[in-house]
Amino acid sequence: MSLVQGRREAINEAVRQALGRLRAELGPVWKIHLEFYALHEDPDLDRYLTDPAGFVRA
């Protein structure tokens, strides 16, 4: 697992946990809408990180 992937997964999990705590603390009177979209790694990230100055998206 890459460092970027690990951080992305940690952020996604932290958001899910925060929403769960918020729902629990506010109770059923409040409606918490899930408008968070899990982060996904750009498939070209490794190529970009290898050569940022010469990177061209295919």
Side-chain angles (χ1 to χ4, degrees), residues 19-50:
L19 286 171
R21 285 192 308 271
L22 188 59
R23 285 186 179 109
E25 289 178 20
L26 294 176
V29 175
W30 290 85
K31 292 186 190 256
I32 307 300
H33 298 278
L34 179 60
E35 294 184 6
F36 165 75
Y37 299 99
L39 298 175
H40 299 284
E41 189 169 309
D42 185 325
D44 293 327
L45 182 61
D46 288 335
R47 286 191 314 110
Y48 170 77
L49 293 174
T50 300

